[in-house]
Each structure stands twice: as C-alpha cells, then as structure tokens.
Amino acid sequence: LSGKERGLDTIDAEAIKNVIISELVKNVVEHSGVEKAIIGIVLQPSKILKPQYYPSCEESYFEWSNTANANYISIFFGDSGRGVIRTLSEAFTQSKPGFHNNYDILRWSFDKWSTCKTQEQIRGTKGLYRIHRIINKYNGLITVRTGDMLGGYQKGGKSESTWINHKNSTKADKRSYFPGTLLRMQFS
C-alpha cells in the first residue's frame, strides 16, 4: 500500500525510509561493533495482535489496537552488537551523575539529547528520539530489548506517550538474554 492508502503523510512515509531505517542502519555501523543487522517490515491486521502473546507491559497497547481494527506497519530491527546500555553508559554517567540503573539508561536512550558521544564531541538530536516522534504520531509502540531488559513507549489511543518497561510487569514474562539490540515499532 502506498503512504496515501495507509493514511501516512507523504513526509512521514519518507521519514520512515530516511529517518527510521537509515538511522538504524547507521547506528549499527557507528555503535554496535558489528557489521550486520536484520530488518523486517510487515503490514498486519490488528485482529492477529493478541495481547496474551506479548509481554505484560505491552498488553494495554494490543488491547487498544484490537478495538481500533486497523492494519499496522510493524518494523523489527536487530543486531548482535554491544547493546544500548553498554553503548550509552559512559555518556549517561557523565551527563547524569549519581546512582542509576540500566533502565534509567534505556529510558534516556529516547531523550532528545541522548548520545554515546562525550561532552567533548559533537552531539545531535537523532536516534530513538526522532524515531519515537514518528511512531508516536501514529499511535504507535516502540520497544527496545537489550540484554535482559525491555522498555519503550506506547501511545495507542492515549493523549500522550507512556513509558513502559518489563521491570514494572505484572506477570513473569519469559525472556532470555539478548546480546545487542532489538527494536520493535508498530504503528497504524
């Protein structure tokens, strides 16, 4: 389907190609320590998105998506590199002194000014911040799985995007350690 048929603004269809995909590929090369990644993009109907098959921190998004009865674009992107936490921890510690846990670093990865660059290096507003803005515009969900953590943002019919993470899960989700980074983005 074209962007118009999907309901995407032309500028956002271009942003998916030029920002989301190119930014993720660029991040693998610059930050992961590996040279390869995998990407999958699929158009799927919401009726196949069953909440019980997803981590409990994402259940409300999928419950909402079933009531919306729309088709969704899903983008999956992963690498087996260093992972978000290892990549950002030094810069995070410099910008936010004090005790923090890995979920703080994961959440910070979505911040407008987060970067693995130290203060002496040039910083920008790219990465997950820009991707999150596009996903948010279309009532989306974006999650990052790195190491044994899962966190991200969901909008799904809410007035604003909400931080979700596995740490606050209400049930014992079965997760294994994932080296590198796996992003999942869903939006309509």
Side-chain angles (χ1 to χ4, degrees):
L1 298 174
S2 71
K4 192 171 191 175
E5 291 169 317
R6 288 282 317 121
L8 297 173
D9 295 337
T10 302
I11 194 165
D12 290 325
E14 288 294 315
I16 290 167
K17 180 179 79 172
N18 295 331
V19 176
I20 294 177
I21 296 171
S22 66
E23 181 69 29
L24 293 174
V25 170
K26 182 179 164 193
N27 281 350
V28 168
V29 172
E30 291 181 356
H31 308 299
S32 74
V34 297
E35 296 178 1
K36 297 179 182 175
I38 188 166
I39 186 169
I41 303 172
V42 64
L43 178 65
Q44 60 191 62
S46 64
K47 63 185 169 202
I48 68 168
L49 304 174
K50 304 294 183 202
Q52 66 268 26
Y53 298 126
Y54 294 91
S56 61
C57 61
E58 299 174 13
E59 283 180 350
S60 66
Y61 177 81
F62 290 106
E63 288 168 356
W64 171 82
S65 70
N66 284 328
T67 63
N69 197 25
N71 291 325
Y72 287 81
I73 296 173
S74 296
I75 302 173
F76 303 88
F77 190 89
D79 68 63
S80 60
R82 296 182 49 176
V84 172
I85 304 307
R86 286 178 49 203
T87 300
L88 291 176
S89 62
E90 182 182 347
F92 178 81
T93 304
Q94 285 183 5
S95 70
K96 302 197 180 283
F99 175 78
H100 301 285
N101 63 41
N102 287 344
Y103 276 105
D104 295 330
I105 298 170
L106 184 59
R107 189 169 185 174
W108 184 68
S109 70
F110 288 90
D111 187 84
K112 184 175 185 176
W113 300 108
S114 71
T115 180
C116 69
K117 296 177 175 78
T118 59
Q119 292 179 359
E120 299 83 38
Q121 298 170 315
I122 298 172
R123 298 172 156 231
T125 58
K126 296 184 179 182
L128 292 176
Y129 171 77
R130 290 175 63 194
I131 295 169
H132 174 232
R133 285 182 45 160
I134 295 166
I135 301 299
N136 195 44
K137 182 175 180 180
Y138 292 99
N139 283 310
L141 167 76
I142 181 171
T143 59
V144 175
R145 184 170 173 195
T146 185
D148 62 352
M149 296 183 305
L150 173 69
Y153 283 91
Q154 68 178 23
K155 187 168 181 192
K158 298 178 181 175
S159 60
E160 60 185 56
S161 190
T162 305
W163 170 254
I164 59 169
N165 65 63
H166 188 271
K167 185 170 81 172
N168 298 329
S169 222
T170 57
K171 68 179 181 183
D173 295 316
K174 293 179 181 162
R175 294 173 298 132
S176 58
Y177 183 84
F178 185 84
T181 304
L182 178 64
L183 274 84
R184 182 168 47 123
M185 299 148 274
Q186 295 194 239
F187 53 100
S188 60

